[in-house]
């Protein structure tokens, strides 16, 4: 019986050994980096994974409301990041060991889908997060079909005729022969492959214009969105959110200027003033925070805040303009 299993059901699983080990490590290593090598689960330390999660927010596909809810509820976000890290560790380790392989491959599929939808638009030099997502989905699908091979705990348990393996359900959560007809198996393989390929092409086009038209990369240049601009009781108030640019460093505002109806500059807040803004002048919405920096106002990717600046001019302000250290400018009319 075991010889038959090795020659049939476990043959394909054995061929995917290196895929299982590599994909397993990519997920287990997330736990390893966050817990063992560094503490990335501490909200008070630089590199907190919750801030990285906040970076996904501006252009996430389909799951944006979930991300926004979490980053506006820091305590819930922390629990979610801990649970997510534990799941990644468990899935990764068990895929490496080949234990409950098909169930864990389903976990790989869903983790990769979450990465794709949340951060598939990120990547400064190439389409890193999109590639990680689509390749993880494809790998999870393949491992769900093959299970693990000879070099796995699943195989060892089957060989030893462990009581767990005598249940028909074990083949569907572990490894072994699935009770599918050849016709059913071929339909599942073809349908799954078509759906994953369509998802790959759709997200490549949606996030990057990679199938037709003009290529675009939202991780190259910072972009700010300005809203709710008004004056009240001697203060200029507005809301700003950074929605594009590299996630590894912020946008640095070096000037905020106000203009009248003749497009003449009538007020400005320089680097010196921006770097000394008080906490009550910046009301942050999310975990990633806009803060005064050494010589500027720092805006991490995904950060959103209401800013309040004192006005000295007596003229009416018609619009404001924000200037980045790179020379990029963004403006908005007053409401």
């Amino acid at each position: 019986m075991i010889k038959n299993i090795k020659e049939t059901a476990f043959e394909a699983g054995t061929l995917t050994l290196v895929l299982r080990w590599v994909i397993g490590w990519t997920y287990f290593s997330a736990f390893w980096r966050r817990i063992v090598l560094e503490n990335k689960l501490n909200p008070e330390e630089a590199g907190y994974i919750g801030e990285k999660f906040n970076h996904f927010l501006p252009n996430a596909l389909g799951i944006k409301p979930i991300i926004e809810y979490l980053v506006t509820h820091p305590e819930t976000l922390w629990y979610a990041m801990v649970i997510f890290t534990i799941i990644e560790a468990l899935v990764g380790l068990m895929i490496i060991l080949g234990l409950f392989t098909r169930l864990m491959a389903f976990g790989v599929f869903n983790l990769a889908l979450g990465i794709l939808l949340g951060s598939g638009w990120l990547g400064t030099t190439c389409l890193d997060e999109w590639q990680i997502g689509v390749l993880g989905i494809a790998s999870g699908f393949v491992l769900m079909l093959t299970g693990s091979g000879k070099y796995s705990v699943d195989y060892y348990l089957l060989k030893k005729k462990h009581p767990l393996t005598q249940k028909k359900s074990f083949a569907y959560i572990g490894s072994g022969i699935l009770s599918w007809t050849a016709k059913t198996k071929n339909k599942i393989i073809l349908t799954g492959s078509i759906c994953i390929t369509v998802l790959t092409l759709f997200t490549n086009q949606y996030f990057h214009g990679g199938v037709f038209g003009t290529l675009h990369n939202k991780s190259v240049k910072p972009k700010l969105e300005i809203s709710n601009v008004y004056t009240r009781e001697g203060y200029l108030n507005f809301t700003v959110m950074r929605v594009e640019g590299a996630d590894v460093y912020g946008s640095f505002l070096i000037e905020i200027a106000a203009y009248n109806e003749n497009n003449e500059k009538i007020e400005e807040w320089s680097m010196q003033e921006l770097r000394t803004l008080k906490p009550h002048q910046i009301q942050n919405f999310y975990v990633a925070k806009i803060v005064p920096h050494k010589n500027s106002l720092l805006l991490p990717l995904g950060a959103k805040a209401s800013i309040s600046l004192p006005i000295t001019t007596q003229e009416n302000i018609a619009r404001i303009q924000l200037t980045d250290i790179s020379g990029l400018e963004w403006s908005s009319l007053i409401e």
Side-chain angles (χ1 to χ4, degrees):
M1 178 66 178
I2 295 302
K3 182 178 180 181
N4 184 48
I5 291 174
K6 286 192 293 184
E7 290 177 353
T8 56
F10 277 83
E11 183 177 353
T14 301
L15 291 173
T16 62
L17 178 63
V18 68
L19 177 64
R20 213 182 74 224
W21 284 353
V22 170
I23 199 71
W25 175 251
T26 62
Y27 287 96
F28 183 78
S29 67
F31 159 82
W32 192 257
R33 292 193 310 273
R34 294 172 202 159
I35 302 297
V36 179
L37 301 182
E38 293 183 48
N39 185 2
K40 292 181 178 290
L41 288 175
N42 186 345
E44 304 304 320
E45 294 189 10
Y48 172 48
I49 188 62
E51 285 194 35
K52 173 70 175 178
F53 189 70
N54 198 155
H55 295 163
F56 301 167
L57 176 63
N59 299 289
L61 175 60
I63 60 173
K64 191 172 181 178
I66 298 173
I67 297 175
E68 185 163 24
Y69 175 81
L70 290 173
V71 297
T72 53
H73 296 79
E75 185 173 329
T76 304
L77 173 65
W78 183 84
Y79 282 111
M81 293 299 97
V82 170
I83 293 169
F84 186 73
T85 299
I86 292 171
I87 291 173
E88 284 186 306
L90 181 65
V91 167
L93 181 60
M94 293 182 78
I95 282 287
I96 292 171
L97 296 175
L99 176 60
F100 300 126
T101 305
R102 288 193 170 107
L103 179 60
M104 294 302 109
F106 180 70
V108 167
F109 183 97
N110 285 283
L111 288 170
L113 181 61
I115 291 171
L116 176 64
L117 297 179
S119 60
W121 64 280
L122 288 168
T124 51
T125 57
C126 62
L127 315 185
D128 347 17
E129 300 289 349
W130 174 78
Q131 291 173 337
I132 292 169
V134 295
L135 290 174
I137 290 170
S139 299
F141 180 65
V142 168
L143 292 175
M144 279 191 282
L145 293 172
T146 65
S148 55
K150 181 178 179 180
Y151 307 105
S152 69
V153 177
D154 283 346
Y155 177 81
Y156 175 81
L157 294 175
L158 276 164
K159 188 175 181 179
K160 294 297 183 180
K161 296 184 179 179
H162 188 280
L164 182 64
T165 66
Q166 306 308 303
K167 298 179 180 179
K168 192 175 180 180
S169 60
F170 181 78
Y172 291 89
I173 64 172
S175 302
I177 300 174
L178 295 170
S179 56
W180 292 344
T181 64
K183 184 177 181 180
T184 298
K185 182 168 73 172
N186 290 336
K187 281 185 176 180
I188 290 173
I189 292 171
L190 180 60
T191 303
S193 298
I194 290 173
C195 290
I196 292 171
T197 301
V198 169
L199 178 65
T200 298
L201 296 175
F202 168 72
T203 52
N204 190 203
Q205 176 63 29
Y206 181 85
F207 288 131
H208 304 288
V211 180
F212 58 84
T214 304
L215 280 169
H216 55 266
N217 189 337
K218 295 180 180 179
S219 296
V220 175
K221 295 179 181 179
K223 179 182 177 182
L224 307 184
E225 289 185 351
I226 308 167
S227 61
N228 197 29
V229 187
Y230 64 95
T231 58
R232 182 179 296 165
E233 298 178 352
Y235 279 85
L236 169 68
N237 303 280
F238 64 93
T239 299
V240 61
M241 180 177 183
R242 182 171 161 223
V243 296
E244 292 184 15
D247 57 326
V248 291
Y249 57 86
S251 172
F252 300 91
L253 285 186
I254 59 172
E255 182 188 79
I256 298 174
Y259 292 78
N260 63 18
E261 293 179 353
N262 297 320
N263 204 32
E264 298 170 332
K265 185 187 290 188
I266 56 175
E267 184 94 74
E268 70 174 359
W269 296 266
S270 65
M271 292 187 293
Q272 176 64 26
E273 292 163 300
L274 294 178
R275 74 183 184 90
T276 56
L277 290 181
K278 306 302 181 185
H280 72 273
Q281 293 180 268
I282 308 173
Q283 301 297 320
N284 282 286
F285 288 74
Y286 306 139
V287 171
K289 300 185 184 303
I290 296 174
V291 294
H293 194 252
K294 185 177 180 181
N295 291 305
S296 63
L297 190 63
L298 174 63
L299 287 78
L301 182 60
K304 181 179 180 180
S306 292
I307 309 293
S308 182
L309 302 172
I311 302 171
T312 60
T313 181
Q314 300 300 313
E315 294 189 56
N316 291 328
I317 297 173
R319 74 177 179 93
I320 63 168
Q321 180 173 287
L322 281 56
T323 303
D324 184 75
I325 195 170
S326 66
L328 292 172
E329 298 174 339
W330 304 273
S331 64
S332 177
L333 297 176
I334 197 163
E335 295 179 359

